Amino acid sequence: MTVRTRFAPSPTGYLHIGGARTALFAWAYARRHQGQFILRIEDTDVARSTPAAVQAILDGMQWLGLAHDEGPFYQMQRMDRYRQVIGEMLAAGTAYHCYTSKEELDTLRAAQEAQKEKPRYDGRWRPETGKTLPAIPAGLRPVVRFRNPADGVVAWDDQVKGRIEIANAELDDFIIARADGTPTYNFCVVVDDRDMGITHVIRGDDHVNNTPRQINLLQALGAPVPLYGHLSMILGDDGTKLSKRHGAVSVMQYDDDGYLPEAVLNYLARLGWSHGDEEVFSMAQFVAWFDLDHITSSAAQFNTEKLNWLNAHYIKLADDARLGGEIVRRLAREGVLATPQPDPELIAALYKDRVTNLNELADCAHPFYVAPHPPAEMAAQHLTDLAKAALADLRGRLAGADFSPEALSKTLKETLAATGLKMPQVAIPLRVALLGQPQSPAIDRVLAVLGRDEVLRRLDQVLP
């Protein structure tokens, strides 16, 4: 059997972190078994689905690197296929027309609730041997209902939650096509899963209640039933339902906030799945290790601190050229044009061990491209007459010095010897003059990255 998984989001909003984890697990399972991963856009909710949401899903999947093998398929482009199958089911007697009006359903529901019964359709239009159906009312367009088995149980061995059994008596004859002819969610999903040969359905546990209905539909169509695995929900840092303040935001917001996709993927992989004590691993390792047996059935808890730690780890490992590109992209977003000098790759190498996200890296790079104006209080504290005298001595030496870090370190020591000052007494004022802040990586490396002309120009701005 060729494994075929799918990710089937509804484009009624962005691709959020829970959906991204579902996509990752479905993708990884297909890759682990040399199968196919299918992307399907379930866009039948016309009132809420938008092209922007579709694009947000596609952008998020691309950013994460979760490439699909087939698709994207759009349900709205498959309406003729759904109508064909509904016609076949009506002909086979596994579905039937129901003319119950909304008012009748409301009355039925009210009566059931008054009797403390579970609200459900009573099957008044369900064809049975020897049963006389009501007269078809004039002017009322029927819905189509699935003829759910009346007895027995529907059961499956959930790959995450274990054995689940539901009595068919608990399920009513649900609608598979509305009065206007549009098919319903559960029906479209079943037809798609059958037509696309889906073997494993990995999705959130909010779909558990849909599963018995979908299994009965598949069996009525004579289709194979996939293996199901329902992932538990993700909670926020504080143990409550994940919200925007916890991280339930668009996947692309993580890009905006300075995260690397490999950090997000690594973090998502550990939300409800584990491989021993491994915390940091590549996607190749994840695919090689991934199985459904080690997915926990309990809720996973989002931990922003751990995500930030992973992001810092991957930034340290990242190629300087890639980080340099991220610096340029993020500075441009702020309206700062990063000129060819200084080389952003050199700035990335200078700061990559000191930041937790790419926005912090861009912030560190900002004063290399836009000459800073230190606050008056900072200037008064650090750019004293004594400090300026030392900087003037250093400026004279820098004018003819080699601008390698090693040579610059030697030049700085010459100024220390000439002025009798200690390194912090010169280096901190120098940082304030050059970068507008009292802290930075090794000052000789900062000087080398800025370059002779810019260093001298900035010193001239603070020296009398």
Side-chain angles (χ1 to χ4, degrees):
M1 177 183 68
T2 299
V3 167
R4 290 175 61 83
T5 66
R6 46 82 159 177
F7 178 53
S10 298
T12 54
Y14 44 72
L15 174 61
H16 56 75
I17 210 72
R21 181 188 64 164
T22 298
L24 172 62
F25 283 13
W27 171 86
Y29 194 78
R31 293 289 176 268
R32 171 74 174 80
H33 296 279
Q34 294 80 50
Q36 283 88 47
F37 173 60
I38 292 89
L39 178 59
R40 188 170 77 217
I41 307 296
E42 298 186 340
D43 56 349
T44 54
D45 188 345
V46 178
R48 297 173 60 214
S49 298
T50 65
V54 172
Q55 192 58 51
I57 290 169
L58 299 178
D59 290 345
M61 294 289 285
Q62 182 178 23
W63 183 71
L64 290 169
L66 301 179
H68 49 274
D69 302 298
E70 297 178 18
F73 298 106
Y74 296 88
Q75 287 186 329
M76 286 302 295
Q77 297 176 5
R78 288 174 48 79
M79 286 295 149
D80 289 345
R81 173 60 178 155
Y82 302 140
R83 294 188 183 100
Q84 176 191 354
V85 176
I86 286 171
E88 293 170 355
M89 293 181 68
L90 288 169
T94 55
Y96 60 92
H97 287 117
C98 171
Y99 293 87
T100 310
S101 67
K102 180 182 182 301
E103 292 73 22
E104 289 175 309
L105 287 174
D106 290 342
T107 301
L108 173 63
R109 184 177 298 108
Q112 290 170 332
E113 290 175 348
Q115 296 295 320
K116 298 189 176 354
E117 298 174 355
K118 178 181 177 180
R120 63 199 307 276
Y121 174 65
D122 61 2
R124 64 185 62 180
W125 284 92
R126 177 180 172 122
E128 301 286 5
T129 303
K131 176 181 178 180
T132 300
L133 298 176
I136 296 176
L140 186 66
R141 298 173 65 182
V143 299
V144 178
R145 290 185 181 271
F146 171 58
R147 186 170 178 162
N148 195 74
D151 50 25
V153 298
V154 55
W156 73 98
D157 292 312
D158 196 279
Q159 302 299 291
V160 176
K161 296 182 174 297
R163 182 76 172 177
I164 298 178
E165 296 186 1
I166 306 291
N168 278 315
E170 294 293 313
L171 308 173
D172 59 4
D173 290 357
F174 56 93
I175 295 171
I176 60 175
R178 302 177 185 89
D180 63 1
T182 59
T184 59
Y185 169 79
N186 277 314
F187 177 77
C188 295
V189 167
V190 164
V191 175
D192 290 344
D193 285 347
R194 181 185 76 164
D195 288 357
M196 297 173 191
I198 302 303
T199 62
H200 294 74
V201 174
I202 301 169
R203 58 188 179 185
D205 64 2
D206 54 325
H207 288 286
V208 168
N209 290 337
N210 293 326
T211 305
R213 294 176 171 82
Q214 292 175 10
I215 289 176
N216 281 340
L217 268 173
L218 285 162
Q219 291 175 335
L221 293 172
V225 176
L227 291 176
Y228 292 91
H230 290 91
L231 310 176
S232 294
M233 68 186 302
I234 302 173
L235 302 177
D237 299 80
D238 56 3
T240 61
K241 183 178 179 182
L242 197 67
S243 65
K244 287 185 178 181
R245 67 186 176 89
H246 298 114
V249 294
S250 167
V251 164
M252 296 311 296
Q253 184 65 46
Y254 286 89
D255 177 37
D256 291 344
D257 290 345
Y259 291 92
L260 288 172
E262 55 265 43
V264 175
L265 286 169
N266 191 157
Y267 182 71
L268 287 177
R270 288 288 285 113
L271 276 180
W273 173 89
S274 63
H275 181 78
D277 295 327
E278 299 288 345
E279 291 286 351
V280 180
F281 42 80
S282 67
M283 281 300 98
Q285 289 173 310
F286 176 55
V287 167
W289 294 337
F290 184 71
D291 56 23
L292 302 178
D293 295 337
H294 289 86
I295 298 175
T296 179
S297 59
S298 57
Q301 191 159 347
F302 196 88
N303 186 321
T304 304
E305 186 177 331
K306 181 174 285 188
L307 174 59
N308 290 340
W309 176 83
L310 276 171
N311 200 48
H313 169 80
Y314 280 103
I315 288 174
K316 288 181 178 68
L317 297 180
D319 180 75
D320 292 342
R322 177 187 179 192
L323 294 178
E326 289 290 346
I327 287 173
V328 172
R329 179 163 75 97
R330 289 165 198 281
L331 288 181
R333 194 169 65 188
E334 299 172 16
V336 176
L337 181 62
T339 57
Q341 294 297 327
D343 187 340
E345 293 185 33
L346 298 178
I347 302 174
L350 200 58
Y351 284 95
K352 63 193 291 186
D353 291 345
R354 303 166 68 96
V355 300
T356 60
N357 65 65
L358 298 172
N359 289 345
E360 291 177 3
L361 187 62
D363 289 343
C364 292
H366 190 281
F368 285 80
Y369 296 100
V370 179
H373 298 284
E377 184 177 339
M378 183 185 295
Q381 179 183 355
H382 297 291
L383 296 177
T384 62
D385 291 342
L386 181 65
K388 287 182 178 180
L391 293 182
D393 178 90
L394 178 63
R395 191 220 181 275
R397 299 174 191 277
L398 290 174
D402 178 67
F403 257 65
S404 68
E406 297 77 16
L408 290 166
S409 177
K410 181 180 177 182
T411 302
L412 278 163
K413 290 174 182 176
E414 291 172 355
T415 290
L416 297 180
T419 60
L421 299 176
K422 297 183 181 299
M423 180 62 81
Q425 293 175 289
V426 176
I428 292 177
L430 182 57
R431 290 184 173 100
V432 171
L434 298 180
L435 301 178
Q437 54 199 34
Q439 296 178 327
S440 78
I443 191 62
D444 51 0
R445 295 181 64 198
V446 170
L447 291 167
V449 170
L450 269 173
R452 184 198 321 276
D453 292 345
E454 186 64 15
V455 167
L456 297 181
R457 187 181 73 81
R458 293 189 182 193
L459 284 176
D460 288 341
Q461 288 182 335
V462 300
L463 293 174

